Amino acid sequence: MTTRLSTATLPAIKTAVTPAYNRADLTAGIVHFGVGNFHRAHQAVYLDALFNLGEGHDWALVGAGVRAADEAMRQKLMGQDWFTTVVEQEAETSTAQVTGAMIDYLPPGDSAAVISRLADPAIRIVSLTITEGGYYIDPASQTFDPTHPDIAYDAAHFDAPKTAFGLILAGLVKRREAGIVPFTVMSCDNIPGNGHVTENAVAGLATLIHPELAEWVKTSVAFPNGMVDRITPATSDREKTLLADNFGIEDAWPVFCESFKQWVLEDNFPAGRPALEKVGVQFVPDVAPYEHMKIRILNGGHATIAYPAGLLDIHYVHEAMEHPLVSAFLKKVEAEEIIPVVPPVPDTDLDAYFALCERRFANPKIGDTVRRLALDGSNRQPKFIIPSALDRIRDGQSVTGLALVSALWCRYCFGTTDSGAVIEPNDPNWDRLNAQAIKAKDNPKAWLEMADIYGDLAKAPDFVAAFTKALNALWMQGTARTLERYLADQH
C-alpha cells in the first residue's frame, strides 16, 4: 500500500520526516523562477529546515515559470498541495523528507499574475534556477546578448513580457511606481558571478527600454552572487517506483539527490532575508573563490567524464567512475590542468575538495545519468572547461587534457557512440553542433570555427594543435585507446 502525498494524508506518512511547522502559518516572501529538481532539493530544503526551527515563516516560496513545460510541474505539485518528497541517497542509506516550503505556483504564461505578485511588498527576494542557458549570454564574450529575439520581444512588449528578466523588470517598475523598495534578485544557477550576470540581463533589457531605467536598476537593486551545489538527477519512473517501494509514498514528481549540499552567498539583501545561516548557508564577503572552485573542479569534472563515458555506452555516472580509464582520465586532467589554475579558496584544500567530488560522483545510489551530464554542452563548455584552457594558454602551459575533453565533446556531437549506437539530440543547438562535428571528422578545425563558443581559444596554436591531434586519435583509435595513450603520456 502507498500513501498519495497531500495535506490530508501527511499525518499517515511515517516513513519520512514531515514538516514540523503548520503550513497555514506560512506567508510568501520569495518568488522563484524555475521550479525544477535542483531548486526543490536545495533552496526549498534549506527553507524547510529553517521553518522547522520555528523561524522565517514569512519567507515561503511562490513558484513561477516562463516555459510551457513548467505547467506540467505546476499541475503535479498542485495535485499534492505543493509538497515535495526529497530522498537523500548514499551508498548505505536512503532517507526521505517531505518539504512544504512552497505554498503557491503562479500559472506560466500569465504575465499579469506574475507581475502583480512581484509587486507585492511582501515579496522581498526573487530567485532563479533557469539553467546556464537561460541568461541570454553570448558564449564567446560571456556577456549579455541584447539582440536575442526573446529579449527584443520583451523590450517591445513590456506590458506582457515572456522572459524571467522581463517579468522581473516589470515587477520592479511596478514597485518603483508605487514607492515600494525593490526586491533582491538572487540567482541560484551555476554561472561564474551569477549575481553580476543576472544584473547584466535585467539592466541590459532595461537599457533597451530607457537608459535611465537601466541606471536605476544598477544603483537600486541588489544582485548577490552565490555558489550552489548538490547533485540532483532528473526524475524518472525509476525514482517514483523506488519511493513507492521503499517508503510507501506516492509522489508525482519526487526529487532524489545526494546528502551533500552547499550554499555560499554574499550578504547583500537590502529588503531583508531569511536567517539561512542557522541552517548551514555560508554568508561571505566574496563568493568568487568558491564559485571558481565549484565550477572548474566539480562542473568541469562532470564535463570531463560525460563525453568519454557517453562514447563508451556507459549509462550511469557511478558506472563511469567505476571504469578505470574514465576515472583515471578525470583524475589526471583535474590534477594536471584544472586544479593548478583554480585560485585559492579560504580555509579550503583544493585537492581534498576534488577527492570529495570523486566520492560524490561515485555514489551508486544517486542514479545520475551520463546523458544528463552531457546535456547542453554548448552552454556548459564555455563556463566549465574553456576558461581553464584559456588560463593555461595565457600562462604558457599545456592544454593536452582539456583539448581532449573538447575533442570528446565534438566526437559525441557527431551523434554515434564508438559502438555505433545513436546518440539522441542532447543540446538546444544540437543540429548546429552535429553539422560541425560531421565536418570536423575530416577537418578538426571546423569544430573550432564556432567562435561564439571558443572565442580566442580557437586562435591559440597550442590548443588548436592539441585538439586536432586528439580528435584525429578518437576517430582513428577510438575512445578507449585514446584515453590509454593520454594516461600513458603517449599523446
Side-chain angles (χ1 to χ4, degrees):
M1 290 290 293
T2 60
T3 301
R4 184 175 181 180
L5 185 60
S6 70
T7 301
T9 63
L10 200 63
I13 295 175
K14 306 300 182 183
T15 55
V17 176
T18 57
Y21 50 89
N22 184 349
R23 289 178 86 221
D25 295 336
L26 300 183
T27 56
I30 302 172
V31 169
H32 181 83
F33 285 91
V35 183
N37 279 17
F38 180 78
H39 163 71
R40 294 184 298 137
H42 195 263
Q43 182 183 357
V45 167
Y46 278 104
L47 287 167
D48 185 76
L50 183 65
F51 298 166
N52 277 326
L53 294 179
E55 298 197 28
H57 289 183
D58 57 340
W59 288 103
L61 290 157
V62 173
V66 296
R67 304 174 305 140
D70 292 330
E71 182 60 22
M73 174 71 80
R74 179 176 178 271
Q75 290 296 327
K76 290 183 183 298
L77 292 179
M78 182 165 55
Q80 53 198 48
D81 301 322
W82 316 120
F83 286 112
T84 288
T85 310
V86 179
V87 181
E88 295 184 357
Q89 297 270 81
E90 291 300 328
E92 304 300 328
T93 61
S94 295
T95 58
Q97 70 176 110
V98 175
T99 63
M102 193 172 84
I103 60 172
D104 196 6
Y105 195 144
L106 301 167
D110 190 340
S111 299
V114 175
I115 294 169
S116 176
R117 185 59 72 101
L118 293 175
D120 182 349
I123 300 302
R124 288 149 288 163
I125 295 174
V126 174
S127 52
L128 305 95
T129 46
I130 55 176
T131 77
E132 299 86 357
Y135 286 79
Y136 302 99
I137 301 169
D138 174 71
S141 67
Q142 289 295 293
T143 58
F144 176 67
D145 178 9
T147 67
H148 193 284
D150 292 352
I151 298 300
Y153 177 92
D154 278 7
H157 303 84
F158 190 52
D159 56 331
K162 293 184 176 181
T163 72
F165 304 113
L167 292 164
I168 287 170
L169 183 59
L172 286 168
V173 168
K174 286 284 188 185
R175 295 171 79 102
R176 184 188 187 191
E177 292 171 347
I180 302 168
V181 298
F183 46 70
T184 296
V185 184
M186 178 180 69
S187 171
C188 299
D189 279 301
N190 285 316
I191 301 174
N194 57 9
H196 301 312
V197 170
T198 308
E199 178 180 3
N200 290 340
V202 178
L205 173 58
T207 299
L208 299 178
I209 298 167
H210 197 288
E212 186 274 335
L213 178 59
E215 188 59 29
W216 177 80
V217 168
K218 294 175 182 177
T219 57
S220 303
V221 183
F223 297 86
N225 292 297
M227 183 270 265
V228 297
D229 191 7
R230 190 171 215 183
I231 295 174
T232 311
T235 299
S236 66
D237 289 341
R238 170 185 178 270
E239 284 72 32
K240 295 174 188 177
T241 300
L242 285 171
L243 181 64
D245 291 348
N246 296 335
F247 297 95
I249 300 172
E250 183 182 339
D251 186 322
W253 208 317
V255 176
F256 279 55
C257 58
E258 62 178 337
S259 61
F260 177 89
K261 64 182 184 296
Q262 186 175 20
W263 195 0
V264 184
L265 268 173
E266 290 174 352
D267 200 353
N268 182 19
F269 294 82
R273 64 168 177 81
L276 292 167
E277 67 276 11
K278 296 185 178 181
V279 289
V281 177
Q282 297 169 259
F283 286 94
V284 299
D286 182 12
V287 171
Y290 301 88
E291 287 179 329
H292 279 101
M293 174 183 72
K294 193 260 180 173
I295 288 172
R296 299 284 186 96
I297 298 176
L298 185 140
N299 296 113
H302 270 161
T304 299
I305 64 176
Y307 302 108
L311 291 168
L312 293 170
D313 299 296
I314 298 172
H315 184 70
Y316 288 112
V317 176
H318 71 272
E319 293 172 337
M321 293 300 291
E322 291 167 359
H323 193 290
L325 293 178
V326 176
S327 57
F329 177 55
L330 170 67
K331 189 181 290 288
K332 184 175 174 69
V333 173
E334 289 272 12
E336 295 183 2
E337 297 189 22
I338 295 178
I339 294 172
V341 292
V342 174
V345 181
D347 302 317
T348 303
D349 181 313
L350 296 181
D351 292 326
Y353 178 80
F354 171 60
L356 172 63
C357 292
E358 287 185 295
R359 293 194 296 274
R360 294 168 63 195
F361 294 173
N363 185 339
K365 283 282 194 73
I366 290 295
D368 202 5
T369 64
V370 168
R371 182 172 172 81
R372 186 187 79 87
L373 299 196
L375 172 69
D376 203 12
S378 61
N379 276 304
R380 295 180 174 183
Q381 289 277 316
K383 299 175 181 66
F384 302 160
I385 294 297
I386 292 174
S388 293
L390 283 168
D391 284 351
R392 294 188 65 79
I393 290 292
R394 178 199 62 205
D395 297 339
Q397 298 172 327
S398 170
V399 288
T400 303
L402 291 167
L404 177 51
V405 172
S406 206
L408 286 159
W409 176 43
C410 173
R411 172 66 185 83
Y412 178 91
C413 291
F414 186 84
T416 59
T417 70
D418 279 15
S419 71
V422 173
I423 297 172
E424 296 297 332
N426 200 22
D427 192 290
N429 299 304
W430 183 261
D431 289 345
R432 177 196 183 199
L433 297 174
N434 180 245
Q436 292 302 120
I438 291 171
K439 293 178 185 177
K441 182 178 181 181
D442 296 319
N443 175 24
K445 292 181 182 178
W447 183 255
L448 303 179
E449 289 172 356
M450 295 186 292
D452 57 325
I453 292 176
Y454 282 96
D456 291 341
L457 191 59
K459 304 172 187 175
D462 288 351
F463 183 83
V464 174
F467 173 86
T468 299
K469 188 172 183 179
L471 187 60
N472 285 335
L474 287 168
W475 279 116
M476 290 187 292
Q477 303 169 9
T479 301
R481 182 57 181 153
T482 301
L483 293 180
E484 288 172 354
R485 289 179 61 82
Y486 169 74
L487 293 170
D489 290 318
Q490 296 175 352
H491 40 79

